[in-house]
Amino acid sequence: MPKMKSNSGAAKRFSRTASGKFKRGQSHRSHILTKKSTKRKRQLRSMLTVHHSDQKAIARMVPYI
């Protein structure tokens, strides 16, 4: 059977943790940063885990990650 294709957009946005969950970066960090406070920008740096209701959909989009 041939390999399945990954969704290339999802592959750039998500990665897997050691426990098998997916982690993601946060939005609102790419431009118009001057009006955002330093605290807000600092807190947006951290990665978050994907909500459990979305884990199955992401696993289907990126089968080899």
Side-chain angles (χ1 to χ4, degrees):
M1 182 141 187
K3 288 185 189 176
M4 294 181 356
K5 283 200 170 193
S6 293
N7 180 308
S8 60
K12 294 169 191 172
R13 287 169 172 79
F14 302 106
S15 57
R16 231 184 240 279
T17 62
S19 62
K21 296 179 180 179
F22 287 98
K23 60 183 180 177
R24 63 172 178 85
Q26 297 190 62
S27 60
H28 307 292
R29 189 79 210 298
S30 58
H31 63 103
I32 315 177
L33 297 173
T34 53
K35 66 173 75 170
K36 294 172 185 153
S37 69
T38 308
K39 177 181 178 180
R40 184 173 164 193
K41 290 184 282 191
R42 183 176 64 247
Q43 289 177 338
L44 287 171
R45 278 184 218 151
S46 62
M47 300 287 273
L48 298 177
T49 55
V50 173
H51 194 265
H52 64 87
S53 63
D54 297 321
Q55 296 272 344
K56 187 177 177 182
I58 293 167
R60 200 177 305 126
M61 284 192 276
V62 283
Y64 301 112
I65 287 183

